[in-house]
Amino acid sequence: GCAAVSSAVYLTANTITDVLGADAAISMRDGFFSLKLRQQNAEAQNLLKGLALHLKQLSEQYPEQVAVKLIQLSYSEVCSNA
């Protein structure tokens, strides 16, 4: 379970930043992953939706090893609070 999670997260993060060229703040530590888009990007949003779906399925398959907590903010919410 954990290797599948790491692989999916790295693939998504690298695709968003290196392939799409999206401006994003990414951090991974102590088993937690955070990716914050600094600008609206529909392709990156779709990749994140796909990652969320994949992680949810992994958490159902490996409930003892994988827990998923998603926190979502829209771009407009982040900008209006800045």
Side-chain angles (χ1 to χ4, degrees), residues 2 4 9-10 14 18 21-22 24 30 32-33 35-36 39-40 42 50 57-58 60 62 64-67 74 79 81:
C2 292
V9 166
Y10 278 113
N14 289 336
D18 298 339
D30 300 329
F32 293 93
F33 167 73
L35 187 146
K36 297 176 186 174
Q39 61 200 22
Q40 286 183 311
Q57 291 169 343
L58 287 173
E60 292 168 358
Y62 302 101
E64 301 286 322
Q65 297 174 322
V66 179
S74 71
C79 290
N81 291 329

Side-chain angles (χ1 to χ4, degrees), residues 1-29:
C2 292
V5 169
S6 294
S7 177
V9 166
Y10 278 113
L11 173 67
T12 303
N14 289 336
T15 301
I16 287 172
T17 57
D18 298 339
V19 176
L20 298 179
D23 187 14
I26 299 172
S27 66
M28 289 187 78
R29 65 185 238 208

Side-chain angles (χ1 to χ4, degrees), residues 39-56:
Q39 61 200 22
Q40 286 183 311
N41 186 311
E43 290 177 306
Q45 287 289 345
N46 285 334
L47 284 169
L48 290 171
K49 287 177 187 177
L51 175 63
L53 177 62
H54 185 64
L55 293 177
K56 181 178 180 271

